[in-house]
Amino acid sequence: MNRLHPLSAVSMALQRGVTGFSMPFFVVMILSSFVDAVDIGWVFWLAPIGLVVGVGYGLAYYYRFTYAITADTFDVTSGVFSRRSREIPYRRIQNVDVSQGVLQRVLGLAVVSIETAGGGDTEATLNYVAEDEAERLRSEIRRLTAGAEEPPVDGPTDSAAAADTSPAAEPGPDDRPRDADTPIPLFDLEFRELVLYATTSFRWGAAIFPVMLVVFLQSADSDSQAGAVPAFVFDVAHPFGGPASLDGAAVGPLLVLIAITALQWAAVTYVASAIYTVANYYGFHLGRAGDDFVYERGLIQRYSGSIPVEKVQSVTVTENPLQRLVGYAGLWVETAGYGPDSGGGSQSAVPLAGSDRVYRFAETLTGIESPRFRSPPTLARRRYLVRYAIIGAILVAAAAGLAQVSSLERWYVAAIVFVAVPPAAHLRYVNLGYAVGDDHLVIRTGFWKRRTTVIPYYRIQTVSTRRSIFQRRLGLASLVVDTASSRTFSWGMPTIYDVDLETARELQGTGRERLQSALRERARGDDLGLSVDFT
């Protein structure tokens, strides 16, 4: 059994010690507010005791934490009072990621995270090991994972990937034999592409930064309105007709304040999103080591990891209107229990590159030719037109109602939203499509974030038909394709929207038949179905 790096004991002791030292302050202060018998002076002798207990617990946790690589499993034992022993079969391991912060890089330490199928949560985390030990663990686990059997849920046993014979992959200087542990470079994100990626993408998670900024400025601004709104918010909105304060402000100036504040929030969020993207994807490299993709990225926090090609569930090309305008797109892959935006992290194979190059990567990676998309029936476009018209009517009605209880005038100007209804319905319709191939199902959805997902039939878990009340009235249905990958609120399951009910049933039957056919062919040919050589 192996132990973590000795500096882990120092880190755990400090973390637990700080926690133990600070907890008495919160507990005593809260109790003293309700119980007269509790004296605030207790903090001065409880806090040192908490510090000692916390340091002792951190050291005990370090000495009780062990890990080992065995022939069939990766074993982890942890816990001080309640012991937990985990044996992680190699066939269930999806990803092995290594991350390093600035201080960790200075000290030569790294965090190793092991992800398994069944969810985005990390199965085992090693805080911390030496850099060379982290690399040894990743290489050894990757080697043992490649030799392990596939889980029954994903179909027949997989073996090592065969050489890529796709016509899109041409032999080059990197095709010469080399050490299996030495990655073959596949893609490097240039700084120009990184800047373009940062300025053409928007991450809603960065919205927490303006909130933190307001809280900080609020605490520093003694003149803030009722301690709720920083003064600079009023200063920016006032030249545009906003109120000087909240006291006695009319509805019109308050609406101006809300609009200007929303614009400030969006601008700060956009800047924070760009900074995060640069810091997160700086120095992005993608390579091939054996049958795995290996990547490395990050400026302040450095990440590296492997993506087993035999565990890939689907491949998705993403592009927003700005990226389409300049001719760029991104390529994502998903493994079982670990997908884009999941808790374990995103699986970006190519963050941003020329659209032609990305689509060529996707075609070579999956072996699929350029799909010929089918569109939903035109009845679906009329459905979207009615849907967006109803939304517009609700907005106009809300403006009219607001005018009845406030000094708001010309509420009817809100009817201008109806101008956007026809193009919005058309754009949603024309960006929907699906293609039924011999070996893959391809689904395209979205305008603001268009996603083109390629799903091998043998990776499909279930195909279900869903119909809302309105779809039933129109004879339409949506087909949901579920794989074993991890999904989040912002990245849902691939869905073919608003096709005829008969077409949906036909697609469901076709998917089921071709799934069984693909599994039989894989059982005979023992083929991965994907290529790792997409240069």
Side-chain angles (χ1 to χ4, degrees):
M1 301 295 286
N2 302 292
R3 295 191 185 278
L4 301 176
H5 194 278
L7 287 178
S8 294
V10 178
S11 174
M12 292 179 185
L14 289 175
Q15 292 177 7
R16 304 290 185 176
V18 170
T19 301
F21 182 81
S22 59
M23 283 190 64
F25 286 90
F26 296 101
V27 175
V28 171
M29 283 190 295
I30 292 175
L31 291 179
S32 63
S33 302
F34 301 97
V35 183
D36 294 335
V38 177
D39 186 1
I40 193 67
W42 292 6
V43 169
F44 297 103
W45 59 271
L46 286 177
I49 294 176
L51 175 64
V52 173
V53 172
V55 170
Y57 183 87
L59 293 174
Y61 189 89
Y62 166 78
Y63 282 106
R64 300 276 281 175
F65 189 102
T66 58
Y67 65 91
I69 294 179
T70 67
D72 301 314
T73 60
F74 182 80
D75 300 342
V76 178
T77 304
S78 61
V80 177
F81 301 109
S82 178
R83 299 288 287 165
R84 181 185 181 189
S85 298
R86 284 161 288 173
E87 296 181 353
I88 308 172
Y90 295 119
R91 63 183 177 83
R92 302 299 299 174
I93 294 178
Q94 304 296 318
N95 309 78
V96 180
D97 297 332
V98 178
S99 62
Q100 292 179 285
V102 175
L103 181 59
Q104 295 160 12
R105 290 206 297 271
V106 172
L107 297 176
L109 302 178
V111 178
V112 178
S113 302
I114 298 175
E115 314 288 342
T116 60
D121 294 334
T122 301
E123 180 66 26
T125 302
L126 308 183
N127 286 309
Y128 302 95
V129 297
E131 287 180 338
D132 55 350
E133 173 68 0
E135 186 59 35
R136 183 190 74 85
L137 289 172
R138 182 168 58 185
S139 299
E140 188 67 11
I141 293 175
R142 189 171 65 230
R143 182 184 66 82
L144 293 169
T145 301
E149 293 184 355
E150 275 283 320
V153 68
D154 286 337
T157 301
D158 290 331
S159 64
D164 179 31
T165 58
S166 170
E170 300 178 0
D174 286 330
D175 293 327
R176 60 185 181 277
R178 64 174 71 189
D179 186 356
D181 290 333
T182 302
I184 299 174
L186 296 179
F187 176 81
D188 291 332
L189 185 65
E190 299 178 356
F191 185 75
R192 176 180 58 85
E193 294 171 328
L194 175 62
V195 173
L196 185 62
Y197 185 38
T199 54
T200 58
S201 59
F202 188 87
R203 300 178 183 274
W204 288 104
I208 190 63
F209 178 76
V211 177
M212 296 173 59
L213 182 62
V214 167
V215 171
F216 173 77
L217 293 176
Q218 170 189 339
S219 61
D221 186 3
S222 58
D223 297 329
S224 60
Q225 301 294 317
V229 183
F232 80 91
V233 175
F234 294 93
D235 295 338
V236 174
H238 188 65
F240 298 93
S245 67
L246 293 178
D247 298 334
V251 174
L254 283 177
L255 292 177
V256 173
L257 176 65
I258 293 173
I260 297 299
T261 302
L263 291 176
Q264 293 181 71
W265 172 83
V268 176
T269 300
Y270 175 76
V271 173
S273 172
I275 294 174
Y276 172 82
T277 301
V278 171
N280 202 35
Y281 286 95
Y282 179 84
F284 182 94
H285 305 288
L286 180 72
R288 187 192 75 196
D291 298 327
D292 294 350
F293 296 130
V294 291
Y295 65 89
E296 186 176 354
R297 60 179 172 85
L299 179 60
I300 300 174
Q301 185 84 3
R302 196 68 182 165
Y303 299 93
S304 60
S306 59
I307 309 172
V309 68
E310 71 273 12
K311 304 292 178 72
V312 171
Q313 303 294 309
S314 62
V315 176
T316 301
V317 176
T318 62
E319 48 192 345
N320 59 37
L322 285 177
Q323 292 168 352
R324 290 200 296 272
L325 183 64
V326 295
Y328 278 77
L331 180 69
W332 300 74
V333 296
E334 300 171 60
T335 59
Y338 196 70
D341 300 331
S342 68
S346 60
Q347 290 293 312
S348 178
V350 177
L352 194 73
S355 297
D356 293 341
R357 186 181 182 190
V358 168
Y359 277 101
R360 187 169 64 251
F361 282 178
E363 292 172 6
T364 308
L365 175 62
T366 60
I368 190 172
E369 297 181 355
S370 298
R372 299 180 60 182
F373 288 103
R374 306 180 191 175
S375 298
T378 55
L379 185 62
R381 178 161 45 193
R382 293 200 294 271
R383 179 183 178 226
Y384 304 144
L385 185 66
V386 173
R387 176 193 297 178
Y388 296 145
I390 293 175
I391 295 175
I394 292 174
L395 294 176
V396 174
L402 187 61
Q404 300 299 318
V405 297
S406 67
S407 59
L408 179 65
E409 298 179 356
R410 298 180 181 178
W411 58 267
Y412 47 83
V413 176
I416 197 173
V417 297
F418 286 107
V419 176
V421 168
H426 177 72
L427 289 175
R428 173 169 174 79
Y429 175 79
V430 298
N431 282 282
L432 293 178
Y434 64 93
V436 182
D438 294 333
D439 302 312
H440 303 80
L441 180 64
V442 186
I443 302 174
R444 185 180 65 191
T445 59
F447 169 73
W448 297 108
K449 189 70 172 181
R450 189 165 72 184
R451 297 186 176 113
T452 304
T453 303
V454 182
I455 309 170
Y457 286 118
Y458 67 89
R459 290 303 190 192
I460 294 176
Q461 300 291 312
T462 60
V463 180
S464 57
T465 301
R466 297 181 183 177
R467 305 180 70 198
S468 67
I469 297 176
F470 303 102
Q471 286 178 314
R472 289 198 295 270
R473 290 179 60 87
L474 298 174
L476 301 177
S478 296
L479 202 68
V480 181
V481 182
D482 185 17
T483 64
S485 60
S486 177
R487 294 289 172 172
T488 64
F489 176 78
S490 61
W491 196 294
M493 290 183 292
T495 303
I496 302 176
Y497 290 101
D498 294 317
V499 294
D500 292 325
L501 178 59
E502 292 301 322
T503 302
R505 290 173 175 171
E506 179 184 347
L507 289 173
Q508 189 173 11
T510 301
R512 182 170 57 250
E513 294 173 0
R514 296 191 179 180
L515 166 62
Q516 298 300 323
S517 175
L519 291 177
R520 287 193 296 269
E521 291 179 3
R522 281 168 53 80
R524 290 194 299 266
D526 199 24
D527 180 22
L528 285 176
L530 295 172
S531 168
V532 294
D533 197 5
F534 58 93
T535 51

